């Protein structure tokens, strides 16, 4: 049995025979509110893995460098080994979520320009919002790396927005993570799925993402299945 290197809320990371590669296993767990709310949904790991691989392949074809090497099976992907920057990189195209809670801003405002945010990925502090100066002082990334991450993230936003619009979903906001290889190359890592994006139906604004679990307003598996069905119908 391969060595388990790390276990997160929704994933396990295993060593492989190749020291430059990891295997990521997607679990069925869903958490919200920094783990306060926790449940399991049979098949969620399969749905997330399938959706995320389609998106990562689309981004690769568009010139974004990612950690993905290949999808091994329903739940597992082989990826390039990276050290993850302890940063949650967030884009908002429409206001909602913590932005509205924190600032008392109105919900659902379509933004003329995307808002770019960085959070320090650290559960003990509740993933606090930080700026680039904080990230440099905390040695989470240097200026050059931060500039690369911001430029790549804005490009990824444009690609994802257009991609989801093709099947009638608005990309409201999302969180991504980056990592660095031993050679110093910065790659998009982690995953992109309805766990990490907010997606609203273009006509009805119905939510097709983890907010159905966070807010108890729908069936998570049926919701994620609908996202995948739309993507596969394209
Ligand atoms: P908010 O800051 O409004 O809670 O979230 C902004 C966006 O980032 C949403 O799309 C949300 O799903 C995503 N996001 C924020 N924190 C996390 C996290 O810890 N894990 C995941 N998977 N997504 C997150």
């Amino acid at each position: 049995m391969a060595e388990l290197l790390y276990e997160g809320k929704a994933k396990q990371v295993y060593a492989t025979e190749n020291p430059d590669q990891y295997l990521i296993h997607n679990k069925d767990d869903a958490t919200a509110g920094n783990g306060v709310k926790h449940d399991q949904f049979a098949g969620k790991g399969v749905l997330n893995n399938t959706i995320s691989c389609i998106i990562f392949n689309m981004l690769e074809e568009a010139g974004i460098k990612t950690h993905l090497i290949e999808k091994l099976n329903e739940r597992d992907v082989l990826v390039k080994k990276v050290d993850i920057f302890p940063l949650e990189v967030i884009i908002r195209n429409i206001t909602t979520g913590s932005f509205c809670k924190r600032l008392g801003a109105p919900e659902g405002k379509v933004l003329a320009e995307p808002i770019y945010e960085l959070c320090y990925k650290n559960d003990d502090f509740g993933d606090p919002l930080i700026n680039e100066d904080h990230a440099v002082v905390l040695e989470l990334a240097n200026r050059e790396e931060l500039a690369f991450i911001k430029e790549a993230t804005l490009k990824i936003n444009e690609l994802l927005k257009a991609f989801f619009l093709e099947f009638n979903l608005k990309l409201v906001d999302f969180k991504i993570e980056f990592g660095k290889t031993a050679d110093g190359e910065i790659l998009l890592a982690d995953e992109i799925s309805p766990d990490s994006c907010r997606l609203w139906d273009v006509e009805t604004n119905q939510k097709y993402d983890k907010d159905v679990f966070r807010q108890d307003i729908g069936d998570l598996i049926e919701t994620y299945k609908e996202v995948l069905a739309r993507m596969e119908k394209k």
Side-chain angles (χ1 to χ4, degrees):
M1 186 66 196
E3 186 194 354
L4 176 65
L5 300 173
Y6 165 81
E7 177 141 17
K9 291 171 196 139
K11 288 187 199 70
Q12 292 170 326
V13 180
Y14 290 92
T16 68
E17 281 163 14
N18 184 330
D20 296 325
Q21 300 180 352
Y22 285 156
L23 182 150
I24 298 180
H25 177 79
N26 286 272
K27 303 192 292 181
D28 283 340
D29 300 66
T31 62
N34 199 8
V36 173
K37 193 171 154 80
H38 181 201
D39 214 332
Q40 284 202 325
F41 296 92
K44 172 175 174 286
V46 173
L47 285 162
N48 273 16
N49 191 38
T50 309
I51 292 169
S52 189
C53 283
I54 293 172
I55 294 173
F56 271 55
N57 282 323
M58 179 278 290
L59 292 174
E60 280 278 355
E61 278 172 27
I64 302 293
K65 295 225 160 72
T66 81
H67 71 165
L68 181 63
I69 299 171
E70 71 172 308
K71 185 175 176 212
L72 296 174
N73 57 51
E74 283 188 322
R75 283 183 190 270
D76 301 330
V77 279
L78 189 66
V79 299
K80 291 183 188 160
K81 178 182 164 181
V82 291
D83 285 329
I84 296 281
F85 291 99
L87 292 169
E88 295 198 336
V89 184
I90 291 174
I91 288 277
R92 299 179 190 278
N93 295 307
I94 301 177
T95 60
T96 190
S98 72
F99 179 83
C100 294
K101 271 203 204 90
R102 206 175 49 240
L103 303 173
E107 283 271 342
K109 183 174 177 192
V110 179
L111 299 166
E113 279 179 46
I115 296 175
Y116 176 78
E117 291 178 358
L118 291 176
C119 292
Y120 178 21
K121 192 172 148 65
N122 185 320
D123 284 342
D124 293 344
F125 298 109
D127 300 336
L129 183 68
I130 57 169
N131 66 26
E132 292 196 346
D133 290 345
H134 298 156
V136 171
V137 170
L138 293 174
E139 298 182 3
L140 310 181
N142 65 36
R143 297 267 174 213
E144 202 186 329
E145 291 163 343
L146 289 167
F148 180 95
I149 287 171
K150 182 168 183 182
E151 195 185 327
T153 300
L154 291 170
K155 252 189 240 160
I156 290 166
N157 182 42
E158 292 310 312
L159 292 164
L160 287 179
K161 264 200 305 191
F163 177 76
F164 282 117
L165 258 191
E166 281 181 59
F167 37 89
N168 254 11
L169 290 169
K170 290 188 274 194
L171 179 62
V172 174
D173 56 26
F174 63 92
K175 181 271 300 179
I176 51 179
E177 296 180 22
F178 290 86
K180 196 157 92 164
T181 65
D183 298 338
E185 190 176 27
I186 299 177
L187 304 177
L188 177 68
D190 192 46
E191 66 159 28
I192 298 180
S193 75
D195 270 8
S196 59
C197 300
R198 287 195 176 97
L199 302 166
W200 294 355
D201 184 83
V202 167
E203 271 105 43
T204 66
N205 278 342
Q206 186 177 333
K207 295 177 181 180
Y208 283 94
D209 56 62
K210 200 163 87 171
D211 273 356
V212 299
F213 166 69
R214 294 186 185 106
Q215 301 171 4
D216 285 317
I217 53 172
D219 182 313
L220 181 140
I221 291 294
E222 289 311 313
T223 300
Y224 287 25
K225 272 189 185 162
E226 169 66 17
V227 173
L228 179 58
R230 288 192 190 196
M231 285 165 65
E232 285 177 336
K233 229 190 278 166
K234 228 176 31 125

